[in-house]
Amino acid sequence: MGNVAPNFMIMLIVSFALLRGNKEGSIIGIVAGLLHDLSFSMTVGPTAIIYGLIGYVCGTFNKNFYRENFILPFICTLCSSLFYSITCIFSFMLRGKLNIIFFMKSIAIPEMIYTITLSLIAYQITYLINEKLEMSERKTRNIF
């Protein structure tokens, strides 16, 4: 468990997608995925597509979502982290390098636990940032 870190990108994408909607969630996901691909990958695009899908799917819950509720961000982060781990397993399988039990036990499950635990704190911070963004949008648009 020492070499595993939480996936902060998934936390931010899920939080902003739930608060802002599927359009902005997918844009944030694609930009975050491109940044990830440009920084850590030899190919540009796969992580952008995955993060974009996560942002879009989580953003669809925006309309029927009570923002002060922390259960839906928790569940969406869990499902998103699981989806990301499954796509990583699939990409490793394409390269012929995978011991599924080892990957799940030593990387995927600890990463999901860290990500889910910290997502509650990240959601609260994102919620405050979103409130300030909406206040500034109301002032510029003169919406009550």
Side-chain angles (χ1 to χ4, degrees), residues 13 16-17 19-30 55-56 59 130 133 137 141:
I13 293 166
F16 272 109
L19 294 170
R20 306 289 289 182
N22 57 3
K23 183 179 178 183
E24 292 182 36
S26 61
I27 290 170
I28 289 172
I30 290 170
Y56 183 80
N130 186 56
L133 281 172
E137 287 174 358
R141 293 183 185 171

Side-chain angles (χ1 to χ4, degrees), residues 73-93:
F74 182 82
I75 292 170
C76 284
T77 305
L78 173 69
C79 294
S80 299
S81 186
L82 185 63
F83 176 69
Y84 184 73
S85 295
I86 289 170
T87 56
C88 287
I89 288 172
F90 183 69
S91 69
F92 286 138
M93 286 174 63

